[in-house]
Amino acid sequence: MTQPLKIYNSLARQKELFQPLSPPHVGLYVCGPTVYNYVHLGNLRTFLTFDILYRYLTHIGYKVRYVRNITDVGHLVGDGDEGEDKIGRMAKLEKLEPMEIVQRYTNDFHQVLEQLNFRTPSIEPTATGHLIEQIEAVKDLIDKGLAYESNGSVYFDINRYNSAGNNYGKLSGRVLEDLLTETRELEGTSEKRNPLDFAIWKKAAPEHIMQWESPWGKGFPGWHLECTCMSTKYLGKQFDIHGGGMDLKFPHHECEIAQGTGLNGTDPVRYWMHSNMLTVNGQKMSKSLGNSFLPVELFAGNHPLLDQAYSPMTSRFFMLQSQYRSTLDFSNDALKGAQKAYKRIINGLKAIKSLTYIPAEVADSSNIPGLKVSTPGVKIDEKKVEDIQKSVQGFYDAMNDDLNTAVAIAQLFNMLKYINMLYLNQLNPAALGEEGFALLKEKYVLFTEEVLGLKEEKTENDAVLSGMLDLYREYKSAQQYDKVDRIRSYFKAQNLVIRDMKHRIDWAYEE
Ligand code: AMP
Ligand code: ZN
């Protein structure tokens, strides 16, 4: 592809030029949610990172197969090998079928992602839909001598894996000896040859509601195995990019590398990408810390941490204002700033969409609404055109630099400057020339809508608003100013403003 995209590969611990295995195809796998509860804003930050990646890869011409799974079994409370299944536990608490829990929170997840204008993945497989593949993988690992059965459970054998020349810990940088010291006190590790061995199949106690028949008795798959099986099935033994939140590096992704390498004799992933955490007063936002809030609470503004409601697009914009590898701290001030900035961007989008470049020779004779080049002989302002070209390239450079959306947005604001000048009639479009104008319009719309996934949040029907503006014009020319003011206040109540300019009367979002 034409864009030299660099991404930070957590495995190599550096930015690397992205070179897919078989261009123009790209295989992308992202660990999806465990659907036992509502997603919080922190979870969404991670998914947003990969929505942007998916959008950008597509924008620059790749054909992406994007697989994001739904974890509906095997993820235990505490993220380890012991304890209750998160979904099973919720099902018991709410006296529901586990699949009712799964359906409820999957629906919620989808609804929230739609509100935030996420693109849907190409495939969204579930762990329970891939039990056969998981049982086969367990058998295969046992046959290869990399796993062993113990009391109805099956564990991955870290020592055997490492003695075959592998390095468990290479992604997270964990050292086995340190891990052993940390793990020593843990209970329930006696079935294991080495306390670091992890479960790929777990024997189910009779009260464990989610269980299946297997060659090792009734049980359920280990959490890490599903991602190995589903990514291999849909993307191959080795694929391009695997993503997830920073907190999944260990043990989840480390175990995925071990399983994939053990099963297929090849490192499963070329580029590992990890998104940093959304924090609240410096602490990771998480359900267990009690500092998380739900998207619905954010959109309605009904949570003690929130001063006001913030719309889905404001929330999206807020998260895009920082690069995905830096932490992002939630604050009302930052969100209020994001609200203002988002509205400026969207007013620009509305403005540029309403402008059409009409060459000087046709301008005078045509009745085409929109922008007219009424001043023949206006010279092209090379400096301005160059500045627009620089901003466009700057946007690509920022995205190519490990998806630096923060810098990319700054470039968009530079383009917005020219859009506003055109809109306010302070700049004659002829000064940009037809090509300069087209570049500005095309790229601004594509960057905003296609790459960043920002869209207008309509509160009112366009036809109604334009009818109101007709009345405004009529009342104004009839000098009925009380009615003019009433129309203005109607707009204001909807957080809209009437832009009464010499050359044009229009409405915009109040910034
Ligand atoms: P889970 O449903 O717990 O498996 O988490 C879904 C995704 O959200 C994972 O990729 C986590 O790494 C990510 N995640 C959880 N908490 C946060 C947070 N505070 N900020 C960013 N990502 C998070
Ligand atoms: Zn996973």
Side-chain angles (χ1 to χ4, degrees):
M1 300 295 104
T2 50
Q3 296 298 329
L5 169 63
K6 278 192 170 177
I7 54 185
Y8 184 89
N9 187 350
S10 309
L11 192 58
R13 293 174 179 71
Q14 62 182 11
K15 285 183 202 169
E16 291 182 338
L17 185 66
F18 176 60
Q19 290 175 307
L21 284 164
S22 43
H25 299 281
V26 172
L28 167 64
Y29 186 92
V30 173
C31 294
T34 306
V35 280
Y36 71 105
N37 213 329
Y38 296 109
V39 278
H40 60 67
L41 200 67
N43 303 131
L44 292 174
R45 186 186 185 203
T46 289
F47 296 123
L48 178 62
T49 298
F50 298 102
D51 183 56
I52 293 291
L53 175 67
Y54 181 36
R55 284 170 175 276
Y56 188 60
L57 288 170
T58 311
H59 175 76
I60 59 178
Y62 289 113
K63 297 194 182 330
V64 186
R65 182 178 292 167
Y66 175 22
V67 184
R68 188 187 63 214
N69 71 301
I70 293 282
T71 295
D72 58 355
V73 70
H75 194 170
L76 305 185
V77 176
D79 295 347
D81 281 352
E82 299 298 326
E84 275 188 281
D85 184 290
K86 292 188 180 195
I87 287 157
R89 180 171 165 272
M90 209 46 134
K92 272 189 203 155
L93 278 175
E94 302 212 13
K95 296 195 171 52
L96 292 171
E97 267 296 312
M99 282 303 136
E100 282 182 284
I101 297 291
V102 165
Q103 192 66 55
R104 175 193 295 170
Y105 296 112
T106 304
N107 289 351
D108 170 73
F109 177 63
H110 287 158
Q111 193 189 340
V112 171
L113 294 199
E114 198 183 319
Q115 282 174 301
L116 287 163
N117 203 26
F118 278 55
R119 286 203 177 152
T120 50
S122 330
I123 308 177
E124 196 175 47
T126 61
T128 54
H130 296 75
L131 279 158
I132 294 174
E133 288 83 349
Q134 293 178 81
I135 290 173
E136 286 306 310
V138 175
K139 282 196 219 161
D140 199 1
L141 284 169
I142 295 176
D143 289 348
K144 290 189 159 94
L146 287 168
Y148 56 91
E149 195 220 318
S150 173
N151 189 28
S153 292
V154 182
Y155 294 99
F156 190 92
D157 192 331
I158 299 283
N159 287 338
R160 289 289 285 274
Y161 175 70
N162 275 356
S163 56
N166 298 301
N167 174 12
Y168 180 79
K170 71 175 177 179
L171 174 69
S172 56
R174 309 260 175 143
V175 179
L176 283 196
E177 288 71 35
D178 297 349
L179 282 173
L180 273 172
T181 341
E182 286 167 26
T183 323
R184 209 153 276 155
E185 303 90 46
L186 284 187
E187 286 174 33
T189 49
S190 54
E191 288 174 4
K192 302 179 182 180
R193 290 181 188 163
N194 174 336
L196 295 183
D197 293 350
F198 58 90
I200 50 179
W201 185 265
K202 279 294 284 185
K203 176 184 179 167
E207 66 276 14
H208 194 102
I209 35 183
M210 301 176 81
Q211 49 177 288
W212 292 264
E213 213 47 82
S214 82
W216 317 282
K218 286 196 164 179
F220 57 92
W223 172 36
H224 317 303
L225 193 60
E226 56 169 289
C227 289
T228 294
C229 292
M230 296 187 278
S231 60
T232 310
K233 175 161 180 166
Y234 299 111
L235 300 173
K237 293 176 178 172
Q238 192 181 53
F239 59 94
D240 298 304
I241 308 175
H242 192 314
M246 208 77 112
D247 56 341
L248 293 188
K249 250 193 214 177
F250 188 86
H252 189 53
H253 292 161
E254 200 73 71
C255 295
E256 277 192 52
I257 294 182
Q259 292 165 161
T261 309
L263 282 166
N264 301 316
T266 169
D267 220 338
V269 176
R270 302 275 307 280
Y271 302 86
W272 280 95
M273 287 177 76
H274 291 99
S275 183
N276 212 329
M277 297 290 109
L278 179 72
T279 56
V280 182
N281 297 321
Q283 259 193 328
K284 174 186 166 183
M285 179 181 279
S286 91
K287 275 164 217 153
S288 49
L289 288 172
N291 64 357
S292 67
F293 45 80
L294 303 178
V296 281
E297 294 169 323
L298 186 73
F299 305 156
N302 55 7
H303 187 279
L305 278 169
L306 302 166
D307 290 355
Q308 60 163 82
Y310 302 100
S311 75
M313 282 301 108
T314 294
S315 315
R316 186 178 174 101
F317 190 84
F318 160 68
M319 294 192 273
L320 292 178
Q321 278 178 312
S322 71
Q323 201 261 359
Y324 76 91
R325 277 195 305 120
S326 47
T327 53
L328 170 62
D329 203 47
F330 161 82
S331 81
N332 279 285
D333 285 347
L335 267 157
K336 284 175 198 163
Q339 177 173 307
K340 227 176 156 54
Y342 156 71
K343 288 195 177 175
R344 284 176 62 203
I345 292 283
I346 290 301
N347 278 335
L349 188 70
K350 232 170 76 54
I352 193 70
K353 280 187 176 176
S354 74
L355 304 179
T356 319
Y357 191 97
I358 301 166
E361 5 4 313
V362 231
D364 292 335
S365 58
S366 84
N367 284 321
I368 309 172
L371 193 67
K372 310 233 176 186
V373 178
S374 50
T375 337
V378 170
K379 269 208 175 147
I380 293 192
D381 185 335
E382 297 293 350
K383 258 178 94 178
K384 287 199 171 64
V385 175
E386 260 171 44
D387 194 40
I388 290 168
Q389 285 165 344
K390 255 174 63 188
S391 300
V392 168
Q393 191 51 50
F395 185 94
Y396 282 112
D397 291 345
M399 293 303 287
N400 289 338
D401 184 16
D402 197 26
L403 306 182
N404 196 333
T405 48
V407 174
I409 286 173
Q411 302 297 329
L412 206 59
F413 272 107
N414 204 39
M415 293 164 76
L416 177 63
K417 195 173 74 190
Y418 295 102
I419 292 173
N420 286 337
M421 284 160 79
L422 289 168
Y423 181 71
L424 297 171
N425 228 11
Q426 294 164 353
L427 174 67
N428 193 310
L432 300 182
E434 195 157 3
E435 267 180 42
F437 179 89
L439 180 75
L440 178 66
K441 179 168 177 168
E442 187 203 329
K443 294 298 184 184
Y444 188 87
V445 172
L446 281 177
F447 292 167
T448 307
E449 294 186 331
E450 193 175 290
V451 179
L452 299 176
L454 296 167
K455 62 171 188 186
E456 221 181 312
E457 286 177 320
K458 298 227 162 152
T459 44
E460 288 295 321
N461 181 304
D462 275 352
V464 174
L465 292 177
S466 116
M468 298 284 289
L469 284 186
D470 279 347
L471 290 176
Y472 177 95
R473 279 183 207 101
E474 276 178 32
Y475 291 137
K476 199 181 152 193
S477 53
Q479 299 187 339
Q480 297 187 19
Y481 294 117
D482 55 328
K483 288 188 176 141
V484 166
D485 287 346
R486 269 170 60 197
I487 297 182
R488 270 191 191 283
S489 61
Y490 171 78
F491 275 78
K492 173 111 183 92
Q494 309 302 315
N495 297 318
L496 305 174
V497 283
I498 292 180
R499 283 187 167 169
D500 193 339
M501 302 168 278
K502 254 197 208 131
H503 64 295
R504 180 175 182 181
I505 293 172
D506 197 6
W507 65 267
Y509 295 95
E510 195 173 37
E511 290 172 6

